[in-house]
Amino acid sequence: MIKKGRLAVTAVLSMSLVLSACTLSTKDKAAEPSAAPSGAPVDTTPVEIEVLAQSSNEADVNIIRDQLAKNGFNVKLNLQPDYGSFKSQQDAGNFDVALSSWTTVTGNPDYAVRSLFKTGGDYSIMTDPEIDTLIDTASTQTAAQYIETYKQLEQKLVFDKAYIAPLYNSIKSQAFNQEILNKDSVRLSKSRSLPWEGLDFKDTSKRDKEPIILQSTTPTLTSLDPIKGNDGSINIINTNQYVRLLNLTDDDKLTAEGSLSYNFAIAEGNTEYYFILRDDINFAAIKDKLAVDTGERVGGDDVIFSLLRAKDKNSVPNHRTYTLHEHIAKAELVTDPAALDAVKISGSSDSVKSGLEKGLPAKITSLVSDKKESGNKDGKYQVIKLTTTTAFPQVLNYLAHQSAGIVSKKQVEAINTYDVAKFDPNKDIPYGDQNTVTEGAKYNNTLYTSGPYILSSKTDYEANFYKNPAYMKGTANEPKVNNIKVRFIKDMDSTLSALRSGEIHLFYSVPETKYDVVKGESKLSLQTVPSNAVSYLLFNTKNREVAKSADLRKAVLHSINQDEFLAYYKNNKIKAVSTLSPLVKTGLELKADSAKVKEFLAAYKAGK
């Protein structure tokens, strides 16, 4: 999810994991089934297949079950009530295919495949050297170059080896009460999570008196440490709790707007990246359930600490995002302005210094190592230099991901005093543990957040956030509304009812089947945009027959008719080939083919 995201959630596992399936034929020659003995009697015995999914995806599961049943499968359903239990079943290997989804919340294709399909990826259950090589090759190429490489990757991943069975690409949507919220303040970005700092009431007198009420389906938060979760339970939350070096625009362009950087520059060779930091953000903390200014500035030492721990697989137990940042070799401060003058911007005759100075409050007079000495209005700045292991421009997209959120070096080191190798979840309490913000005996909120909002407390009913009182004060990015609540409502029908009744003000990710209901209410406004979210069936690669037999996987693959999914969702879904589909047009196509299913099933049975 999502994060995904980083399954699930989002992320964006939006990142929340879901599941899906599909069949296909390609413009390239499809892999043929293994030869079955000629003249052998036809075995029509149904093949058992177990589908794992969350109960919230029952509509998709029903379509998948019917399509598989029509093609010679005896389908067993393993429906779980929430993501946690779904993931436990998946980790235990209790499935043949798992209904999964992935949202590329960074807007770049490497994120669409690296964590999911590369050996050792954060969410990967695969080991395939050919897939690994293609992922790494494409990551070093320009957009013009990597189309062919990603086409080869899709061909092997889906058609030749059938590791996944793609289902559809989703529309991103949200609905809100336009009688309550200022319509111009509600953004819908293709990849980026909803920015809370811009949200505002139509009646601005409510800003300090009433909360804006949002919604989420998952009350159990994976982690409030941005590197320890990447799913739908926390992607939006952590995106709004921790500032990053960069952001994405609504149409997936990189921008410094609303980030910790005034500007950024890529040096010649595409292995060195520079960021000039602003000095008007302090960390927020919670005291007596309210947000307070800690007085500690967000600075270069925090950036370096955050990025190096993000890339280090062993910096925390259950690190979920390290593969996003494994290309970082070094992160350091630049303290000599002349060093910036000596380096040219990639593809330009301008120096990095001149690029970083554009639009600054004052030209650079000095670069300081101590964040307390930074004073932008006097020309005193901090500059971060990030060096990658290889030429890798897509690293910038990863710096816009919630896992690259800047945490307080001082606070995290004070909380995470345990030995990572001997971490005991029964007694060690890490930074960001959701129990520390859950009301009750274990409540002890130790969060220090660098973003526009901070979580005060949560229950199974709602989470309560307050604006960071020291976040870009006096700028367009200062949070407009003091208090935001997130209500936890698992059922989509109940969520829509809550929006219509005024119990919540915004419904994120409205189901396509509910668009007409929203459009029928004059007080509601619906926003939609093609998304980077793809649903697919993920095959078990360890302990089931589908792990051993490509023929069996391909029989499942060719059983799924994407047109039936599009019809169910009233054409508010888009056909997909893989998680790359929203980002790279490879020209490969998917079609259902019952004849191929029979051939692959026969080959599978003959080979048993």
Side-chain angles (χ1 to χ4, degrees), residues 490-536:
K490 291 186 178 182
D491 178 73
M492 292 299 181
D493 287 332
S494 298
T495 304
L496 183 55
S497 295
L499 178 67
R500 298 173 73 185
S501 68
E503 180 185 343
I504 63 173
H505 301 143
L506 187 146
F507 180 1
Y508 196 73
S509 296
V510 181
E512 290 88 343
T513 54
K514 304 299 181 184
Y515 286 179
D516 289 343
V517 177
V518 174
K519 292 175 182 177
E521 295 254 0
S522 60
K523 67 181 178 182
L524 302 182
S525 179
L526 177 69
Q527 296 176 322
T528 62
V529 65
S531 79
N532 290 336
V534 174
S535 291
Y536 58 97

Side-chain angles (χ1 to χ4, degrees), residues 222-225 425 428-438 447:
T222 302
S223 178
L224 297 160
D225 182 338
D428 295 324
I429 303 175
Y431 176 82
D433 188 328
Q434 72 141 7
N435 291 312
T436 63
V437 297
T438 302
L447 294 177

Side-chain angles (χ1 to χ4, degrees), residues 402-557:
Q402 63 90 19
S403 62
I406 310 304
V407 297
S408 165
K409 179 178 187 293
K410 173 184 173 183
Q411 183 71 352
V412 171
E413 288 183 334
I415 300 300
N416 289 354
T417 56
Y418 53 80
D419 183 338
V420 174
K422 299 178 181 178
F423 178 78
D424 183 352
N426 295 313
K427 68 179 182 66
D428 295 324
I429 303 175
Y431 176 82
D433 188 328
Q434 72 141 7
N435 291 312
T436 63
V437 297
T438 302
E439 292 185 0
K442 294 183 179 181
Y443 179 86
N444 180 29
N445 193 326
T446 57
L447 294 177
Y448 264 48
T449 66
S450 58
Y453 284 89
I454 182 169
L455 175 56
S456 170
S457 62
K458 69 170 282 290
T459 64
D460 287 340
Y461 175 66
E462 69 180 15
N464 208 14
F465 298 81
Y466 290 98
K467 82 174 194 177
N468 179 346
Y471 186 84
M472 300 193 195
K473 287 183 70 66
T475 73
N477 294 298
E478 179 182 358
K480 305 291 190 299
V481 175
N482 182 56
N483 182 202
I484 285 181
K485 292 182 184 291
V486 175
R487 292 272 163 82
F488 299 120
I489 309 173
K490 291 186 178 182
D491 178 73
M492 292 299 181
D493 287 332
S494 298
T495 304
L496 183 55
S497 295
L499 178 67
R500 298 173 73 185
S501 68
E503 180 185 343
I504 63 173
H505 301 143
L506 187 146
F507 180 1
Y508 196 73
S509 296
V510 181
E512 290 88 343
T513 54
K514 304 299 181 184
Y515 286 179
D516 289 343
V517 177
V518 174
K519 292 175 182 177
E521 295 254 0
S522 60
K523 67 181 178 182
L524 302 182
S525 179
L526 177 69
Q527 296 176 322
T528 62
V529 65
S531 79
N532 290 336
V534 174
S535 291
Y536 58 97
L537 283 174
L538 176 67
F539 288 94
N540 191 326
T541 56
K542 291 184 179 179
N543 62 347
R544 295 289 182 97
E545 285 295 305
V546 292
K548 305 172 189 176
S549 174
D551 285 327
L552 180 54
R553 297 196 299 271
K554 290 173 186 177
V556 173
L557 181 71

Side-chain angles (χ1 to χ4, degrees), residues 200-220:
D200 201 0
F201 287 107
K202 193 172 183 179
D203 178 358
T204 57
S205 68
K206 294 181 178 181
R207 288 175 173 174
D208 296 326
K209 302 173 185 176
E210 298 181 21
I212 287 179
I213 307 174
L214 311 178
Q215 137 281 344
S216 176
T217 58
T218 311
T220 301

